[in-house]
């Protein structure tokens, strides 16, 4: 059961055009910063998966035309939710939101107590 007060540190998992890295917050510059998540304590596998999810978005989503293939939106959402779970496991003291704007799903919160 979640605590009543979320942690002070928060991140947003969200793709955006030409940003290279889909985590936002904690002092990360929002435009053009290519990060590896090491300062957060992320594993190399999770950092690579985050970059892969961003690359999928960049190569398969067009701002005007939408997704390239019919299954792209579902694959993007599924992977985003998997990444949210991985981030929560690796960063239990962070409030993490998943913003699924490219699939019109809004924001999904994931903070639960790490206790």
């Amino acid at each position: 059961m979640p605590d009543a007060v979320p942690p002070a540190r928060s991140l947003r998992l969200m793709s955006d055009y030409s940003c290279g890295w889909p985590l936002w917050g904690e002092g990360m510059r929002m435009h053009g910063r290519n990060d590896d998540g090491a300062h957060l304590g992320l594993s190399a596998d999770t950092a690579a998966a985050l970059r892969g999810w961003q690359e999928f978005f960049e190569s398969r989503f067009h701002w005007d035309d939408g997704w390239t293939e019919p299954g792209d939106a579902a694959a993007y959402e599924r992977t985003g939710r998997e990444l949210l779970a991985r981030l929560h496991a690796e960063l239990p003291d962070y409030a993490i939101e998943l913003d699924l704007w490219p699939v019109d799903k809004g924001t999904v919160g994931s903070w639960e107590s790490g206790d």
Side-chain angles (χ1 to χ4, degrees):
M1 172 169 223
D3 290 345
V5 179
R9 297 181 293 181
S10 64
L11 295 171
R12 176 169 283 194
L13 175 58
M14 178 185 80
S15 294
D16 203 359
Y17 304 102
S18 302
C19 72
W21 181 248
L23 277 182
W24 305 76
E26 286 297 307
M28 293 178 202
R29 283 180 265 142
M30 298 205 315
H31 298 289
R33 177 159 181 189
N34 210 350
D35 205 328
D36 64 2
H39 70 283
L40 295 171
L42 290 179
S43 69
D45 288 344
T46 296
L50 287 165
R51 280 191 295 279
W53 188 63
Q54 175 65 29
E55 289 168 9
F56 182 84
F57 167 81
E58 294 274 357
S59 67
R60 311 290 293 180
F61 188 79
H62 185 270
W63 65 271
D64 196 30
D65 299 329
W67 294 100
T68 304
E69 299 292 329
D72 287 350
Y76 176 85
E77 179 179 357
R78 181 176 54 254
T79 303
R81 290 179 184 274
E82 290 167 0
L83 287 169
L84 181 64
R86 287 173 74 165
L87 289 168
H88 180 62
E90 291 189 28
L91 304 171
D93 295 330
Y94 280 77
I96 304 169
E97 290 182 332
L98 169 62
D99 190 332
L100 291 170
W101 70 266
V103 294
D104 296 325
K105 297 285 179 138
T107 301
V108 178
S110 86
W111 180 73
E112 294 179 16
S113 171
D115 297 337

